[in-house]
Amino acid sequence: MLLDCENYDKPVSFFYNQSGKNITSDWSRRDYIVVGVGLTVCLIVILSNLLVIAAIIKNRRLHFPIYYLLGNMAAADLFAGVSYLNLLFHTGPYTIGLTQHQWFVRGALVDMSLTASVANLLAVAVERHQTIFTMQLHSTMTKRRVVLLILGIWAVAIFMGLVPTMGWNCVCDLSTCSTTVPLYQRSFLVFWAVVNLLAFTVMVAMYTRIFVYVRHRFYGRPSLDDQVKYETVISLMKTVAIVLGAFVFCWTPGLVILLLDGLDCKGCQVLHYEKYCLALAECNSLVNPIIYSYRDEDMRRAFKEILCFLCNKSCGQQGEPAPLELSRNGDSTRSKNSSIRRPLFSSSSTSHG
């Protein structure tokens, strides 16, 4: 498609000069600091998310659809770490020597990681909405359906990442070029930002509805079994909601900058804030493993076991009691399996309202 365009063989620096985003081949002290810090963060992101994936694979208590999806979220964060690592070696002074193909690959990797994360969070929101409103703690979705869902998420991510390469760019029409992403059309930035911001809004609305429903469902029921059910649901929901909140907090500023650039806001100084927003977005991939280790006891225990194994240290039983589980008659018991497939709300609790 680009072969019919007179600009298809122009270097990336040509488009940067046209858009007013200056690049240079000279390395400054700031460039060295950015690459050094960024490289450290990327390596931590990759290793920490590998730890999350290993913990979910190792711990049978986490072999449920919600945790498979959270594991896929960790895979998306790991992919983000790899894409940012690639970006570090193709940005700053490196950018001036890139071909158009290399530049589009660089952008596609970042776009894919964001799309995979958003699609995965949306899948988690739908899964939580479906399970809670059908009075279950864990979804009855089969492993085959979970695998197909995960494959679908990555198919969408790959497609969205390749959209600019397939033609939605400004290589043949320089008047439509954006400022922050000089080879992307402004219309694509508007589409990209609006779609993701709408997805954020939908997910926040879904989780708000779930929290309101659960609180209303258990309101005024102080019995032990209802209290255990309530705490179990709320604990898992809070973990997922914190992950979503961190994602929205880290990515919204960058999406707003892209939206303003797409709308051709002349006085918005998008280039001044662009780097900070990208750094904040990168930090999101580092936050999720911290959330899991803080919020989820099973995940935390699996982290300890894996790290101790890697360090060749003996890690015996920690002596921690097993989590509370609900027996068939609704009584709270200690069990080796903290995950429940049975309905959350027993007949004794539903009969009151």
Side-chain angles (χ1 to χ4, degrees):
M1 182 178 294
L2 296 180
L3 295 179
D4 298 329
C5 174
E6 62 179 5
N7 297 323
Y8 82 94
D9 59 345
K10 296 289 178 63
V12 169
S13 57
F14 169 79
F15 298 92
Y16 274 69
N17 292 333
Q18 289 289 324
S19 68
K21 188 175 183 178
N22 297 323
I23 54 174
T24 176
S25 59
D26 298 326
W27 283 82
S28 65
R29 182 180 179 183
R30 177 176 173 271
D31 293 325
Y32 286 113
I33 293 174
V34 169
V35 171
V37 174
L39 181 61
T40 303
V41 172
C42 286
L43 291 177
I44 295 174
V45 166
I46 292 171
L47 294 176
S48 60
N49 283 287
L50 279 174
L51 183 62
V52 172
I53 295 171
I56 292 175
I57 294 173
K58 177 183 182 298
N59 195 335
R60 288 183 176 274
R61 298 181 182 183
L62 306 178
H63 290 186
F64 291 97
I66 179 64
Y67 286 105
Y68 293 144
L69 291 175
L70 291 178
N72 192 49
M73 184 73 186
D77 287 333
L78 189 153
F79 185 80
V82 173
S83 66
Y84 289 132
L85 192 62
N86 176 75
L87 181 63
L88 285 174
F89 291 102
H90 294 87
T91 192
Y94 289 121
T95 307
I96 201 168
L98 296 180
T99 64
Q100 289 185 29
H101 174 74
Q102 291 172 324
W103 190 94
F104 277 120
V105 169
R106 186 189 79 169
L109 292 177
V110 176
D111 294 346
M112 288 177 193
S113 67
L114 173 59
T115 303
S117 296
V118 172
N120 205 84
L121 281 171
L122 193 56
V124 170
V126 173
E127 190 272 350
R128 286 293 84 196
H129 189 276
Q130 183 265 331
T131 52
I132 298 300
F133 279 82
T134 54
M135 298 180 291
Q136 298 285 334
L137 176 59
H138 289 294
S139 171
T140 57
M141 188 186 307
T142 63
K143 289 185 179 180
R144 180 175 179 273
R145 290 182 63 187
V146 175
V147 170
L148 290 176
L149 177 59
I150 290 174
L151 291 176
I153 288 171
W154 284 102
V156 171
I158 292 172
F159 173 77
M160 291 300 296
L162 294 177
V163 165
T165 308
M166 293 187 294
W168 203 346
N169 56 64
C170 65
V171 172
C172 297
D173 188 1
L174 298 180
S175 63
T176 63
C177 289
S178 62
T179 302
T180 54
V181 199
L183 275 73
Y184 283 7
Q185 282 191 6
R186 288 192 298 272
S187 58
F188 176 75
L189 294 191
V190 172
F191 164 79
W192 181 254
V194 168
V195 166
N196 285 286
L197 290 173
L198 283 176
F200 291 177
T201 304
V202 169
M203 288 186 283
V204 170
M206 290 179 70
Y207 281 112
T208 301
R209 185 167 184 259
I210 292 172
F211 273 113
V212 170
Y213 173 79
V214 171
R215 292 182 69 89
H216 173 74
R217 185 79 186 187
F218 286 101
Y219 182 76
R221 298 189 178 98
S223 62
L224 177 61
D225 59 335
D226 282 337
Q227 184 66 24
V228 172
K229 295 168 189 175
Y230 176 78
E231 290 177 355
T232 304
V233 176
I234 289 296
S235 178
L236 184 55
M237 282 301 304
K238 282 183 177 179
T239 300
V240 177
I242 292 172
V243 171
L244 173 61
F247 188 86
V248 171
F249 175 81
C250 292
W251 275 99
T252 298
L255 291 173
V256 170
I257 289 296
L258 293 180
L259 179 61
L260 292 175
D261 187 15
L263 296 174
D264 201 20
C265 180
K266 299 296 186 182
C268 294
Q269 298 182 337
V270 290
L271 291 178
H272 178 72
Y273 300 104
E274 175 205 11
K275 299 294 184 184
Y276 301 105
C277 293
L278 182 60
L280 182 62
E282 180 182 359
C283 289
N284 175 250
S285 299
L286 182 62
V287 168
N288 288 341
I290 298 174
I291 295 174
Y292 300 144
S293 62
Y294 174 73
R295 291 286 311 171
D296 195 294
E297 183 180 341
D298 287 333
M299 193 86 77
R300 185 165 60 248
R301 186 182 294 110
F303 288 167
K304 289 179 181 178
E305 292 173 357
I306 293 172
L307 291 174
C308 288
F309 175 78
L310 293 176
C311 295
N312 293 321
K313 294 181 180 179
S314 59
C315 281
Q317 295 296 326
Q318 302 296 322
E320 298 178 359
L324 279 172
E325 185 181 288
L326 305 180
S327 64
R328 290 188 181 275
N329 60 10
D331 297 330
S332 59
T333 60
R334 296 287 181 184
S335 171
K336 292 182 179 180
N337 191 346
S338 62
S339 300
I340 325 162
R341 289 186 182 274
R342 294 184 293 281
L344 274 173
F345 311 112
S346 64
S347 58
S348 60
S349 64
T350 55
S351 62
H352 295 291

